Amino acid sequence: MEEAYLELLRDVRRNGVRKPTRAVLPSTGQKIDALSVFGRQSRYDLREGFPAVTTKRLAFGPVVHELIWFLKGSSNIAYLKEHGVTIWDEWADADGELGPVYGRQWRSWQAPDGRTIDQIAGLVQGIERLKVDPTDSIGRRLIVSAWNPSDIDDMALPPCHTLFQFWLTEGRLSCQLYQRSADLFLGVPFNIASYALLTVLVAHVTHVEPGEFVHTIGDAHIYTNHLDQVDEQLSRPPFPPPQLAIDPSVTSLDDLRRDQITLVDYRHHPTLRGEVAV
């Protein structure tokens, strides 16, 4: 399962074009280049296990807390800070605000007529409709977008994972993510785990089986300060994937708790660290 991600790393390491970026290393203030390719897709069959990378340690707790935070519809990092998650600190203002980022768009998209649209609730309702009538046109419209052009200038960071679509067939639920920009070493293992988790959770609350997570990327890149770590990671043989356990008490995507989600039998190689470019 992990081989799909490792092959993407190999591809960009071998074939990426070196490009300057706007990103800066916080430790030095130095701008950093990236090796970049455009347009790639990887697939992860969730029936084979959970796609947590094993060639380095995945910080699964922050993955879960960030997804819970998205599903709460929050744009303030207070919940993350409360649970020791610092991944959004670099972009938040002094009050912890990020502007109308992911969760706000998922749960309360502002319509021109003043309404707010809960895209996640609509997604779950659409899947339930499709279970009753597999010919319902909603089956090709199970889409959630974080890319709201009218709000981009007010966001601390325009959404990298911009849009995802669900697909239900033969009782199995799959998800495809379109990600406009992807930091392959630091960000993508996190993104894969987050959207695989979302897929399993949506399948769980709608009483269907998880299918595939399909990851489609626009600009896939490795920052040049991560090249040594990537080479080390690619030298490591992956372990079998872990399993994901969801507490049976979970019946809704609202009010999720970290202790209701468990990664089982997760074997991994040692942590590989790299400074995030912002």
Side-chain angles (χ1 to χ4, degrees):
M1 174 179 283
E2 188 172 351
E3 189 57 37
Y5 165 68
L6 297 176
E7 185 53 39
L8 182 58
L9 274 182
R10 289 188 197 100
D11 178 9
V12 179
R13 186 70 177 93
R14 293 170 182 163
N15 303 313
V17 176
R18 185 163 183 145
K19 298 174 63 176
T21 75
R22 54 110 191 129
V24 172
L25 295 178
S27 63
T28 64
Q30 173 191 2
K31 282 198 170 184
I32 194 76
D33 292 349
L35 300 182
S36 179
V37 300
F38 186 68
R40 295 294 188 271
Q41 186 177 87
S42 304
R43 309 182 79 95
Y44 305 90
D45 189 339
L46 302 179
R47 293 172 295 180
E48 296 178 1
F50 188 78
V53 294
T54 66
T55 45
K56 64 177 182 177
R57 178 181 175 274
L58 173 72
F60 186 64
V63 170
V64 178
H65 280 304
E66 185 194 49
L67 182 58
I68 290 173
W69 177 65
F70 288 158
L71 291 169
K72 287 179 178 293
S74 180
S75 62
N76 188 288
I77 63 172
Y79 168 85
L80 298 177
K81 299 291 283 183
E82 179 185 347
H83 293 90
V85 179
T86 61
I87 54 177
W88 279 93
D89 287 9
E90 297 288 346
W91 289 276
D93 69 15
D95 297 318
E97 289 292 337
L98 295 160
V101 292
Y102 298 99
R104 181 80 65 81
Q105 302 300 334
W106 288 14
R107 304 308 306 250
S108 55
W109 180 291
Q110 296 293 314
D113 61 4
R115 292 178 301 131
T116 59
I117 300 169
D118 186 339
Q119 297 186 83
I120 296 295
L123 169 69
V124 172
Q125 292 162 9
I127 293 168
E128 295 293 355
R129 279 173 51 185
L130 199 59
K131 287 165 57 182
V132 174
D133 178 7
T135 69
D136 194 315
S137 60
I138 197 68
R140 296 176 180 174
R141 303 173 187 177
L142 300 171
I143 292 172
V144 173
S145 177
W147 191 269
N148 185 341
S150 65
D151 282 346
I152 294 297
D153 289 345
D154 295 325
M155 298 179 186
L157 181 68
C160 293
H161 30 112
T162 58
L163 175 148
F164 55 94
Q165 179 177 1
F166 277 81
W167 186 70
L168 178 65
T169 188
E170 297 180 337
R172 291 193 298 274
L173 187 69
S174 296
C175 175
Q176 178 170 212
L177 168 68
Y178 181 77
Q179 186 164 349
R180 66 170 178 88
S181 175
D183 172 352
L184 294 186
F185 176 67
L186 286 181
V188 165
F190 207 93
N191 302 137
I192 294 168
S194 180
Y195 279 87
L197 174 58
L198 178 63
T199 305
V200 175
L201 283 168
V202 174
H204 177 86
V205 301
T206 56
H207 307 288
V208 296
E209 294 298 316
E212 281 189 300
F213 169 58
V214 184
H215 196 184
T216 301
I217 299 174
D219 187 318
H221 52 268
I222 301 170
Y223 286 107
T224 52
N225 64 312
H226 298 156
L227 296 180
D228 289 344
Q229 295 95 317
V230 167
D231 290 343
E232 171 62 25
Q233 186 172 2
L234 289 173
S235 75
R236 298 173 170 182
F239 293 110
Q243 300 296 318
L244 188 70
I246 307 296
D247 192 296
S249 65
V250 174
T251 58
S252 166
L253 296 177
D254 301 321
D255 302 318
L256 287 167
R257 302 190 315 272
R258 169 68 183 92
D259 62 3
Q260 295 173 311
I261 300 164
T262 307
L263 204 55
V264 181
D265 295 329
Y266 180 39
R267 296 176 61 204
H268 56 82
H269 289 270
T271 298
L272 287 171
R273 301 191 183 280
E275 185 176 5
V276 65
V278 297

